[in-house]
Amino acid sequence: MKERVKNVKIQWVEFENLKTGLKINRIDFNKDVTLLVGLSGVGKTQILKVIEYSLNLAVNKDVMLYPYRVGLGIVTDNDKYQWFYEINEINEDALIINEENKYGFVYEKLECNGEKIFERENEKVSVIGYDKVPQPKRDESLILQYSEDKNFEKLISGIRKLYSVEIELAVRGGIRSESFSRLKSKVTDTITNEKKVEFKTFSHLPVALKLYIAKRYYPELYIKIFEAVKELFMELEDIDVEEDSMREMYLVSIQVFGKKLLQHDISNGMLKTIYYVVELFTMSEDSLVLIDEFENGLGVNCIDLLSELMLSERNDLQFIITSHHPKIINAIDKNKWRIIDRSGGVVENSGSLEYGIGNSQHDAYFNLINRWEFEGKI
């Protein structure tokens, strides 16, 4: 029986783009919420992308490789892991991954509580518990290649459990009728054939399908979703998912003032709010939530509610977000801020106290803006 890992969090990340020279010095994250604050172009989005890219390398095959040098700290239950890797050009006579990509892993090391689990440097490879190991694939992380090994069960399951949930969705899209019907049939079979199926079984599914399942099989969950959205949009009478036979798509629908509206007729702010609320109530435990410019497409009243939900509804989630909006920045404790600054090709970060913007939460954002203005940055 596999040992279940309960809590997983990203602790820190550091990064260097070996092609462009951009370097991000080590940045530490909180267990709950970390707000990356900084002017446009300083590297906030790149930080999110590096985390997501690294996690994809650990769990997915056929990820396009780029010349990166990355370090990542991960905490699972009581264990602290450090994963370092470098992807760079490989020798011409070595494996060429595909015609467009001549990069491969030239270095990789994983440590647990200071003990080396595995390490590779070009052709030299060592793995704990093995006297000899086969030559690893140059286009895949060792974490992925050893993911099924029983000696690494707890270690790998913990790392693989931590995945990013991208809330910035293409909310104007839907789900093709054929795909929706196939997934719906599988869900129905699961609920019919198994006893007491917890909703988290379906937490990886698309938002529209999760909303459909909640309304039909988990009424208490649906009511929480509906009431949270209705708090912002008092005219709302119903939220559902229906087929648009003309488009051969399943789309989110709402009812207001007795009139039904399909997804393409719903305002972008309202539709995005529905997606946010559904995800916040249904995403799986210990998810890492990366949100770039949280305020984009949202009305001012939506920002208040969603900020509150994000900070109070799910204590198990870890949020790493960026924002330029004063309402969001002021709503998050300044001790949760990491202020991002850039000098040439180096991205630095510091806490609010280190940055010297005062002790008062009320004045923190004001002092930050004043400092940037004094330094001629805005």
Side-chain angles (χ1 to χ4, degrees):
M1 183 177 178
K2 290 186 177 182
E3 188 170 0
R4 184 175 181 270
V5 176
K6 295 179 180 179
N7 300 303
V8 191
K9 304 294 179 187
I10 292 286
Q11 191 176 34
W12 56 265
V13 71
E14 59 189 24
F15 166 77
E16 184 175 0
N17 186 320
L18 300 174
K19 186 174 183 179
T20 66
L22 177 67
K23 183 177 181 181
I24 297 174
N25 287 334
R26 182 173 297 198
I27 176 170
D28 296 310
F29 303 110
N30 302 308
K31 294 179 180 179
D32 48 6
V33 178
T34 301
L35 174 66
L36 306 181
V37 184
L39 298 171
S40 297
V42 296
K44 303 186 300 298
T45 299
Q46 184 64 55
I47 293 167
L48 301 186
K49 287 182 176 179
V50 169
I51 297 170
E52 186 170 22
Y53 178 77
S54 298
L55 294 175
N56 280 332
L57 282 178
V59 299
N60 295 324
K61 295 183 178 181
D62 302 320
V63 176
M64 181 68 75
L65 300 184
Y66 298 101
Y68 291 167
R69 183 181 291 129
V70 178
L72 201 66
I74 302 172
V75 177
T76 67
D77 292 339
N78 297 318
D79 294 321
K80 293 183 178 181
Y81 302 113
Q82 295 191 110
W83 177 33
F84 301 92
Y85 68 84
E86 180 180 332
I87 297 169
N88 215 328
E89 290 188 15
I90 54 179
N91 298 329
E92 291 183 2
D93 57 344
L95 170 67
I96 296 178
I97 297 160
N98 58 51
E99 291 299 322
E100 298 178 350
N101 192 348
K102 296 184 179 181
Y103 297 113
F105 282 85
V106 299
Y107 181 78
E108 186 174 15
K109 181 169 72 171
L110 184 68
E111 296 178 345
C112 176
N113 299 325
E115 180 181 3
K116 185 172 70 175
I117 303 300
F118 61 61
E119 185 174 20
R120 69 165 156 187
E121 188 167 4
N122 293 317
E123 306 300 321
K124 185 179 178 182
V125 184
S126 61
V127 181
I128 189 172
Y130 291 84
D131 293 328
K132 295 182 179 180
V133 295
Q135 193 65 31
K137 298 178 181 178
R138 295 288 295 275
D139 59 339
E140 290 182 5
S141 165
L142 289 175
I143 291 178
L144 181 60
Q145 293 177 57
Y146 282 89
S147 60
E148 301 301 323
D149 192 303
K150 65 179 182 179
N151 293 318
F152 296 86
E153 215 166 67
K154 184 178 179 182
L155 168 67
I156 303 301
S157 66
I159 292 174
R160 288 169 63 91
K161 189 175 187 292
L162 185 60
Y163 61 93
S164 63
V165 176
E166 181 55 72
I167 289 186
E168 182 58 46
L169 300 163
V171 295
R172 286 295 165 195
I175 305 176
R176 295 191 62 82
S177 295
E178 183 181 351
S179 299
F180 193 94
S181 297
R182 185 172 62 254
L183 290 169
K184 183 173 66 172
S185 178
K186 290 182 179 180
V187 168
T188 302
D189 289 344
T190 300
I191 292 174
T192 302
N193 297 327
E194 298 181 22
K195 295 180 179 179
K196 296 182 179 179
V197 180
E198 294 186 41
F199 188 90
K200 65 181 180 181
T201 304
F202 312 114
S203 61
H204 63 289
L205 294 174
V207 168
L209 187 56
K210 290 196 287 187
L211 179 59
Y212 180 94
I213 295 167
K215 182 164 188 179
R216 284 152 184 83
Y217 301 107
Y218 299 85
E220 292 183 2
L221 175 60
Y222 172 78
I223 289 170
K224 289 175 70 175
I225 292 169
F226 176 77
E227 289 182 345
V229 180
K230 187 175 175 63
E231 188 174 331
L232 287 169
F233 303 98
M234 297 300 295
E235 69 275 19
L236 190 69
E237 298 165 0
D238 187 44
I239 312 174
D240 206 346
V241 177
E242 297 187 19
E243 185 178 19
D244 183 338
S245 56
M246 293 291 291
R247 292 177 171 83
E248 296 184 341
M249 302 281 285
Y250 272 83
L251 304 169
V252 172
S253 69
I254 62 170
Q255 185 166 312
V256 291
F257 304 120
K259 183 180 180 181
K260 187 163 289 185
L261 300 175
L262 286 178
Q263 193 161 323
H264 48 273
D265 293 319
I266 303 172
S267 72
N268 189 66
M270 185 177 191
L271 190 57
K272 190 170 181 180
T273 298
I274 292 171
Y275 270 64
Y276 266 102
V277 172
V278 172
E279 283 284 42
L280 285 171
F281 279 108
T282 64
M283 64 179 60
S284 59
E285 296 174 353
D286 290 316
S287 293
L288 170 65
V289 186
L290 306 175
I291 310 176
D292 193 20
E293 297 191 6
F294 177 77
E295 64 273 13
N296 278 357
L298 296 174
V300 175
N301 58 335
C302 301
I303 289 172
D304 286 337
L305 175 66
L306 291 174
S307 298
E308 183 181 344
L309 282 175
M310 184 180 68
L311 295 169
S312 62
E313 184 61 34
R314 293 290 301 273
N315 295 327
D316 61 302
L317 301 178
Q318 183 182 24
F319 292 89
I320 302 176
I321 68 175
T322 75
S323 177
H324 294 106
H325 200 288
K327 264 186 170 290
I328 297 170
I329 296 173
N330 284 325
I332 296 176
D333 189 326
K334 65 182 180 62
N335 294 316
K336 305 290 185 183
W337 299 1
R338 296 304 299 177
I339 299 169
I340 310 302
D341 212 344
R342 181 171 174 174
S343 177
V346 180
V347 177
E348 304 280 1
N349 71 93
S350 56
S352 58
L353 289 178
E354 299 169 68
Y355 205 70
I357 58 174
N359 296 316
S360 169
Q361 176 72 24
H362 177 73
D363 294 331
Y365 180 74
F366 178 77
N367 291 338
L368 181 62
I369 296 299
N370 278 348
R371 172 166 173 170
W372 287 340
E373 188 172 16
F374 178 77
E375 293 175 349
K377 296 177 179 177
I378 55 175

